[in-house]
Amino acid sequence: MSLNKQMTTTDVVAQLQDGMTIGVGGWGPRRKPMALIREILRSDLKDLTIVGYGGMDMGMLCAAGKVKKLIYGFVSLDFIPLEPFFRKAREAGSIEALELDEGMLHWGLRAAGYRLPFLPMRAGLGTAFMHNNPEIKTVNSPYDDGETLLAMPAIKLDAALLQVHKADQLGNVRVYSPDPFFDEWFARAADKTYVLAEDVCERLDSDEADAKANLFERSLVSGVVEQRGGAHPTSHVPGYGWDAAHIKRYCQAAAEDGGWQAYVDEFLGATEADYQNAVGGLDAITSLPRQVL
Amino acid sequence: MSDFTLSELLICACADVWKDDGEVLATGIGIIPRIAQGLAKLTHSPALMITDGEAYLTETPVEIGAKSHEGRSYGGYMPYSRVFDALWHGRRHALVGPVQVDRWGQANISCIGDFDKPKRQMLGLRGFPGNSINHANSMFVPNHSTRVFVEGEVDVVCSVGYKDDNWQPGVRRDFASVERIVTNLCVMDFGGPNHALRVISLHPGVSFDEVQDNTSFPLILADDCTETAHPSADQLAIIRKLDPRDVRARQIKDNPPGIRA
């Protein structure tokens, strides 16, 4: 087969456009495709709508002024509950926010993945969500029960950015993390999905057990990028844990005048290699111990 | 047994929220609720399902603050997608930590102030809307105060409660129930007239007046209100095993004794 979807982080970002709706996989400080986020930070992209179970991916993009709107169930770093740059952006009123129940976000992505206009659910009914988002409607069951349900609209993504352990040039992936989160549904909801892998090979040919780690089929994947350590400072278990010291340093930046620019100057660099050098090198990243929760 | 801390008393009171629940997923958010879910499972509620704090179900509650995964064993798998499946199915009882609670049992963890430009942005809705409309929920409040128990409605209603105006006609309310609220002063439930919040036990040395003074709306004192049960020697032994590094001592300011001096 002559399919070869391998590309670089800059190739991926070149395919993104101002104003796009971009979903980011992972969960809080876990398994975020950060090398792709950093490439967006280095780009001129703007007015983005970012969708996800947010962590510093959302915080950094807010800090850099890339965000028009966030669609999220939460934005948190887990061991540091409140994401400081997200807070700043929200408290300044500088971004639009569609704050969802975690299950609503899942359901909206699923609806998009199934090419449905909405999926019915109960979450959100009876809460402030209904007041804050009058554009979200209810629907009545057409059957005898007649129950009133929330009609969760499809959350269609222009692109999804996901972090995986392995990929091949055809777009097959392997995710070995304890929890795959909702990455599959980001891939299905998106016109184009780009995966950031620790390793990319020409072709994955593995046994049945390993093939079960294929989280979604390759037809959903438009691009694969090899970048070892690319999830840093988020965790990529079983490979490496999150970098608590670096995340604390990042959070401190939010409390300082010009803190974000200082963080960018100190760490971001012109390439991922620059970034990795600034944070102590690839070996230091890949030997970060897994957190015990 | 009189030698115990307030944290240990609260762990025991929190564990009791799952009594008689049977085979449900118990989810305690925070250190005291997590120790409590383990205590419940190892004492009165062995059928409870609990996770390792990540993605697996275990019959042996994990140690708080463990330094490695060594020795852990798992009976099942419970990634977030399955947590959502299980909670929509209803077989779950969560013990959560709200920032604000109102007289209708509605809780807020989203933000303080106006949603469009909050005074203080917090976590977001997380799972509160879906949890609260699908299964039993209890709350743990380590700082019982008028700031938490607000006078009117919470700033952002994240979880549903007993305020009729917020329920559209035709919405199913029967899956929702706010069970208990365990605070550093007392244990409460919504067993008063019309689901009014009432005090069902007072911690040693705490008066109803003190609880009322720290609550912005009127409370009811249950007729059969008791003193909150003291931890037994067996319970304390299990708590020490679940939390050998005494992380619980850092959960309440100054780690006060369970019986006030």
Side-chain angles (χ1 to χ4, degrees):
Chain A
M1 198 175 309
S2 63
L3 273 181
N4 184 353
K5 298 174 183 171
Q6 192 162 4
M7 53 177 73
T8 65
T9 54
T10 43
D11 294 335
V12 173
V13 172
Q15 296 197 9
L16 305 177
Q17 290 166 23
D18 292 351
M20 273 190 168
T21 298
I22 299 173
V24 183
W27 181 278
R30 306 181 211 186
R31 209 157 51 71
K32 292 283 182 181
M34 294 304 294
L36 289 171
I37 301 297
R38 283 186 281 274
E39 206 55 54
I40 295 175
L41 294 175
R42 293 183 193 106
S43 77
D44 296 329
L45 281 172
K46 58 179 192 304
D47 296 329
L48 302 175
T49 293
I50 305 294
V51 181
Y53 299 95
M56 49 208 313
D57 50 335
M58 287 191 176
M60 287 182 178
L61 292 168
C62 285
K66 300 292 189 192
V67 175
K68 176 168 172 270
K69 181 176 182 181
L70 292 181
I71 300 178
Y72 59 93
F74 59 81
V75 186
S76 173
L77 305 173
D78 280 19
F79 75 107
I80 300 172
L82 306 181
E83 213 297 343
F85 285 104
F86 159 70
R87 273 189 64 189
K88 273 190 150 175
R90 282 280 290 138
E91 290 168 14
S94 60
I95 53 164
E96 293 173 44
L98 176 57
E99 188 170 294
L100 301 169
D101 170 85
E102 293 161 355
M104 287 177 136
L105 176 49
H106 170 211
W107 226 221
L109 295 172
R110 249 191 213 253
Y114 293 152
R115 304 181 297 179
L116 291 167
F118 70 89
L119 279 169
M121 67 187 308
R122 295 197 180 94
L125 296 166
T127 72
F129 178 84
M130 305 308 286
H131 302 288
N132 293 335
N133 303 284
E135 74 280 12
I136 308 256
K137 310 290 187 196
T138 57
V139 65
N140 290 330
S141 167
Y143 299 103
D144 289 346
D145 57 270
E147 184 177 350
T148 300
L149 297 157
L150 186 141
M152 181 63 209
I155 302 173
K156 194 85 195 70
L157 306 175
D158 295 306
L161 309 178
L162 306 176
Q163 177 73 46
V164 303
H165 288 96
K166 283 187 201 166
D168 69 16
Q169 291 177 342
L170 306 180
N172 292 300
V173 301
R174 298 288 187 269
V175 174
Y176 300 116
S177 306
D179 195 324
F181 306 124
F182 297 89
D183 286 19
E184 174 184 354
W185 298 102
F186 284 89
R188 292 196 193 284
D191 288 338
K192 298 209 164 172
T193 293
Y194 302 95
V195 300
L196 186 66
E198 297 286 331
D199 291 291
V200 175
C201 62
E202 195 179 332
R203 198 167 120 171
L204 282 165
D205 281 306
S206 62
D207 59 22
E208 289 175 337
D210 186 71
K212 275 192 169 177
N214 175 228
L215 201 53
F216 41 81
E217 63 275 19
R218 63 175 163 76
S219 57
L220 295 168
V221 176
S222 295
V224 299
V225 178
E226 180 176 72
Q227 180 59 64
R228 207 161 280 192
H232 183 272
T234 69
S235 65
H236 201 195
V237 174
Y240 45 91
W242 65 64
D243 188 340
H246 184 87
I247 294 173
K248 282 181 193 159
R249 166 72 186 77
Y250 159 81
C251 289
Q252 267 168 19
E256 297 158 7
D257 280 340
W260 171 248
Q261 192 53 49
Y263 176 89
V264 167
D265 293 345
E266 187 174 353
F267 296 111
L268 185 63
T271 65
E272 188 67 3
D274 290 345
Y275 172 80
Q276 293 193 339
N277 284 333
V279 300
L282 178 60
D283 287 347
I285 292 171
T286 54
S287 46
L288 284 161
R290 174 183 176 183
Q291 276 71 31
V292 185
L293 300 168
Chain B
M1 185 57 70
S2 61
D3 188 18
F4 55 86
T5 65
L6 179 59
S7 289
E8 290 162 345
L9 180 93
L10 298 179
I11 290 166
C12 295
C14 284
D16 282 351
V17 308
W18 286 290
K19 216 172 190 169
D20 307 320
D21 275 358
E23 212 167 355
V24 303
L25 179 64
T27 307
I29 308 288
I31 296 293
I32 285 178
R34 265 190 88 186
I35 300 171
Q37 73 187 17
L39 178 65
K41 183 165 174 60
L42 295 177
T43 54
H44 49 65
S45 302
L48 288 178
M49 298 190 293
I50 64 173
T51 74
D52 64 338
E54 202 155 7
Y56 295 93
L57 288 170
T58 176
E59 298 301 327
T60 309
V62 300
E63 260 180 27
I64 299 296
K67 299 287 182 227
S68 85
H69 290 86
E70 215 169 298
R72 291 192 180 182
S73 60
Y74 308 105
Y77 185 42
M78 189 57 70
Y80 279 115
S81 63
R82 200 178 283 183
V83 173
F84 292 4
D85 292 344
L87 80 88
W88 286 12
H89 189 67
R91 288 189 195 158
R92 186 187 194 220
H93 184 164
L95 177 58
V96 298
V99 177
Q100 291 180 323
V101 184
D102 61 30
R103 69 187 70 195
W104 302 280
Q106 304 176 128
N108 178 21
I109 51 165
S110 166
C111 61
I112 300 294
D114 178 36
F115 180 81
D116 290 328
K117 191 172 182 296
K119 207 185 305 170
R120 185 171 156 77
Q121 172 70 42
M122 300 181 295
L123 291 171
L125 292 171
R126 291 225 72 149
F128 272 36
N131 293 352
S132 60
I133 203 165
N134 281 296
H135 61 69
N137 282 272
S138 292
M139 301 179 201
F140 174 60
V141 176
N143 54 335
H144 193 135
S145 66
T146 51
R147 286 168 61 117
V148 176
F149 293 98
V150 295
E151 189 178 355
E153 191 167 54
V154 292
D155 290 1
V156 179
V157 178
C158 298
S159 58
V160 301
Y162 298 108
K163 192 179 185 197
D164 293 342
D165 296 350
N166 284 342
W167 291 88
Q168 282 176 254
V171 173
R172 272 194 83 153
R173 296 177 64 166
D174 54 322
F175 297 136
S177 69
V178 194
E179 297 284 317
R180 286 188 178 182
I181 303 180
V182 177
T183 80
N184 58 320
L185 300 179
C186 65
V187 180
M188 299 179 283
D189 71 11
F190 288 85
N194 220 355
H195 299 291
L197 191 56
R198 59 172 197 169
V199 177
I200 58 170
S201 78
L202 290 158
H203 301 339
V206 176
S207 69
F208 177 76
D209 287 348
E210 181 181 352
V211 176
Q212 182 63 74
D213 287 348
N214 285 287
T215 307
S216 306
F217 52 85
L219 295 171
I220 289 170
L221 179 63
D223 293 340
D224 52 356
C225 181
T226 58
E227 181 173 273
T228 306
H230 298 191
S232 69
D234 284 350
Q235 285 176 310
L236 288 171
I238 292 169
I239 290 170
R240 284 187 205 110
K241 211 174 124 220
L242 290 171
D243 178 28
R245 289 163 195 81
D246 203 13
V247 179
R248 65 192 177 281
R250 300 197 296 271
Q251 302 307 307
I252 308 281
K253 193 177 177 323
D254 302 329
N255 195 28
I259 298 174
R260 288 181 176 182

